[in-house]
Amino acid sequence: MELHGLARTVINRIIRIFTLRDVYSYTGGNNENLWAPDCTFRNGQFYLYYSASTFGSRKSGMFLARSSTGVQGSWTNDGLVYGSTTSSSYNAIDPNLLIDGSKWYLVFGSWSSGIAILDINPSTGKPLSTSLTKLASRSSSVGIEAPVIIKSGSYYYLFTSWDKCCAGLSSTYNIRVGRSTRQVNTIFSRPERKGRSNN
């Protein structure tokens, strides 16, 4: 069971129970700068990956919390999963956990160099290494972010959000999808198919 798009108010209620010193350097001490939660239930536990950043910055971190029940007060903060700085190629934000058999992956990215993927240790929920694999990118002047990978049959489908969000009626946000039959941590076909827009 995967619960995508949890409201920011929900993640803040869960994460407020932690001592947030490890995220303050990414958020400027503002809990409202926690976002993009991704929650998966596996092996009797909820794995909640979430982002800490400020809008438009590459100084970002992805964090992990776990719980066996999912109720407030039951969560354990496992800390930083992967971080980026203002000089990093990739932006460590918008995490999505993919479990493919015995293999775990975390796909992420927002603008900058695009979308990347990490191999994850199923025992810890943390990266097996800091080595990244590039999945998709666009020109640095246009957006690609919020990746989600879904496996169906022999295909892996990579959904991404393109262009400009958060600008009211001037927003140009739209969803694209690319697919691949290759191993998940290889480069996808360019995700050119336009999905439904939320303009």
Side-chain angles (χ1 to χ4, degrees):
M1 177 177 66
E2 295 189 359
L3 309 173
H4 301 293
L6 294 175
R8 179 179 294 180
T9 53
V10 174
I11 189 175
N12 281 336
R13 284 180 184 174
I14 293 171
I15 302 305
R16 270 191 199 124
I17 65 172
F18 304 142
T19 301
L20 290 174
R21 294 172 186 166
D22 51 350
V23 305
Y24 282 166
S25 64
Y26 296 102
T27 66
N30 185 354
N31 283 6
E32 293 302 312
N33 289 324
L34 302 177
W35 62 59
D38 180 88
C39 191
T40 301
F41 186 76
R42 189 75 168 189
N43 300 329
Q45 288 196 93
F46 291 96
Y47 292 79
L48 176 65
Y49 290 90
Y50 63 97
S51 303
S53 187
T54 54
F55 192 82
S57 172
R58 277 184 292 176
K59 186 179 180 182
S60 310
M62 299 182 296
F63 294 81
L64 171 64
R66 290 190 285 181
S67 168
S68 60
T69 64
V71 301
Q72 186 172 355
S74 68
W75 292 84
T76 299
N77 187 16
D78 288 336
L80 183 67
V81 175
Y82 188 83
S84 58
T85 68
T86 54
S87 60
S88 296
S89 296
Y90 289 91
N91 196 358
I93 202 169
D94 293 348
N96 169 243
L97 179 65
L98 170 68
I99 298 175
D100 183 18
S102 62
K103 300 289 188 180
W104 288 31
Y105 305 94
L106 196 69
V107 60
F108 68 94
S110 176
W111 292 68
S112 304
S113 293
I115 308 303
I117 196 166
L118 286 164
D119 290 351
I120 295 295
N121 186 333
S123 298
T124 64
K126 299 289 188 73
L128 287 168
S129 75
T130 58
S131 177
L132 300 176
T133 300
K134 180 178 179 179
L135 292 186
S137 63
R138 298 183 71 195
S139 164
S140 60
S141 62
V142 289
I144 180 171
E145 61 185 2
V148 173
I149 296 179
I150 297 173
K151 186 179 182 183
S152 179
S154 59
Y155 282 102
Y156 298 92
Y157 293 86
L158 172 64
F159 292 84
T160 52
S161 296
W162 282 33
D163 298 330
K164 186 179 181 181
C165 83
C166 316
L169 294 177
S170 298
S171 296
T172 56
Y173 230 24
N174 61 90
I175 298 171
R176 309 286 179 113
V177 60
R179 70 179 187 176
S180 174
T181 57
R182 293 177 291 174
Q183 187 177 355
V184 66
N185 57 349
T186 59
I187 298 177
F188 276 68
S189 302
R190 186 183 175 101
E192 289 286 4
R193 184 170 299 170
K194 189 171 184 177
R196 293 182 63 184
S197 173
N198 65 352
N199 287 357

